[in-house]
Amino acid sequence: MLEARSHQQLKHLLLQNSSPWPHHLTLSRLVARSLRRKDHTLIQLDPRSKDLWWLGLLVPLCLEAKDAVMILSDQQRRRLLKVELPQLLTKGIKLPCWEGHLPPSGNQLWLMNHSELIEAHHQGHLKSRQLIIPEADQLSQRLRDSMALSITPQDWERLRRAHPSAEASLMQLHERLSRSLFTHATRANAQVRLDGSEIQALKDLMRLLGPSPSPWPAVLKADSRFWASWAELDHRLLQWQWHLQPLEPLQNLPGLLRDQPSVLLSESRENDLIRTELDAAAFPATVMARLSEPNLQEPIPLFAPRRQPLPNTEIYAEHLLDQCRRLILGRPGITVVLLDDQQLRHQLTSELAAEFGRRVVHETTAPESNGVVCCRWAWWLHHQDQLPLPEQLIVALLPLASVESPLTAARVESLKNQGRDWFRDLLLPEALSLLTPAIAPLRKNHGRLAILDGRLRGRSWGKQVLSTLEPWTPLQRLLPD
């Protein structure tokens, strides 16, 4: 526990910095209360509040950090160690930190990434410690990425060398898998789901062989009912890489959120996706709060014409190019074009570059002052803090996951087997969860939003998209400045 003088310094620091965002103080009180009472707390913040919540989180941690575990991405950890802690130190405040999956011996704040969290959970090191999880709306995806397995041709070689008596059987099985995968590939370098019977045959053989080198023991434990499995083909070398990822990682880590008191900070706003995931993980949310940042509540101008072609029509690419030209013409600030379809994105980038020259770039964090950045949704969400605030955002395609993705296809199949509505229970909520953080920079910069996906007006679920974008004002036509 810190001495009284440090307590007063921390409280003064919090009050002194609360004016840009008054909820610093409210957030600090909520976190401190949860730390004292060992609650299960979910706090929903507005997107882009991540630049502002550090102080509201670190102050109560300095005061109450007993048995606290903070789960951070690599980017968040760098910011904590290089920016936030040095700033506290200039005020005379020291926050002792411990890193890694092994527990600290003293009263330090325990820092770990998502891979280390999984390891600590499996080894029983958490023992009712208080979990602090910023950006909890990305928790499932980060856990899924941390749990992912990748089997290379070199891993097959190591397996055969470890079990020379079974070399012929392993080579025969691998060749049978290879022939099947390349036969069923619809295009070069495709991703093809692996046949469950072939995987089961491999696992049956491995159980007879005994201990195997890493990562094969993890493959053996991966239950095909709860894991997606696919191959990424390399037609040039006629080789393939095997990928495995859990469908719902929180369900593969029973008790992780149920048994430890937790404070979760989410930027999902009104979207129910995180609550659904937490319910499935048996997270008993005893405290729930929503904090809004006033300057993120300004209405945003929305250009979304009622009659637009659907993405699967022949004229859609031409429509997209024509509307992007009109939207970009004469704009003095940054324009970001969001489009996940790789072929269509590269085509659009080339066509816009032919018209607007070097201002058009593809997934670059150093555009010109009036640059046009064409990118994927995931790239924009990850890099938006490294770019100037955009003047306009063009949504070429809404971020609905494609069922051509082996992981998405496996998750959809699992929901179908449960008799659930896979579109409204999975694809739509995940898409809606991306919208609010994606457009938050526009509200900061009083920019405009254009949605050129005809499904917004042509499908019944488009109303949910419009509701998620609230508040907004319609922009009926494009007028010259």
Side-chain angles (χ1 to χ4, degrees), residues 165-192:
S165 60
E167 182 175 0
S169 298
L170 288 169
M171 288 185 64
Q172 183 181 21
L173 195 151
H174 184 270
E175 289 174 3
R176 190 163 64 243
L177 275 169
S178 300
R179 283 196 301 271
S180 174
L181 290 170
F182 283 98
T183 299
H184 290 93
T186 57
R187 62 182 186 276
N189 301 327
Q191 293 182 335
V192 182

Side-chain angles (χ1 to χ4, degrees), residues 48-168:
R48 289 188 68 84
S49 296
K50 55 187 159 189
D51 292 332
L52 302 165
W53 52 246
W54 282 101
L55 186 66
L57 185 61
L58 291 179
V59 168
L61 284 174
C62 288
L63 297 173
E64 308 286 347
K66 291 183 176 180
D67 298 329
V69 183
M70 200 168 179
I71 314 303
L72 301 175
S73 66
D74 292 338
Q75 184 178 3
Q76 289 171 327
R77 187 185 297 199
R78 284 194 297 271
R79 171 161 180 165
L80 173 66
L81 299 178
K82 297 184 179 297
V83 178
E84 304 301 334
L85 293 186
Q87 286 183 356
L88 284 179
L89 194 58
T90 62
K91 306 294 183 180
I93 308 301
K94 294 181 180 180
L95 178 60
C97 297
W98 180 275
E99 301 181 60
H101 75 276
L102 296 175
S105 56
N107 233 4
Q108 300 101 324
L109 172 64
W110 188 4
L111 304 178
M112 62 172 72
N113 60 29
H114 296 77
S115 297
E116 292 163 342
L117 172 65
I118 294 168
E119 185 68 20
H121 173 66
H122 285 323
Q123 295 186 10
H125 292 324
L126 297 178
K127 295 180 181 177
S128 298
R129 290 177 180 267
Q130 185 98 21
L131 299 183
I132 315 292
I133 307 179
E135 296 183 5
D137 42 302
Q138 298 184 42
L139 176 62
S140 286
Q141 185 57 51
R142 287 172 176 169
L143 289 174
R144 184 181 289 114
D145 292 342
S146 298
M147 298 170 70
L149 302 173
S150 183
I151 310 300
T152 65
Q154 291 73 30
D155 293 319
W156 284 94
E157 291 291 338
R158 281 191 286 270
L159 181 64
R160 287 200 292 268
R161 287 197 296 267
H163 304 290
S165 60
E167 182 175 0

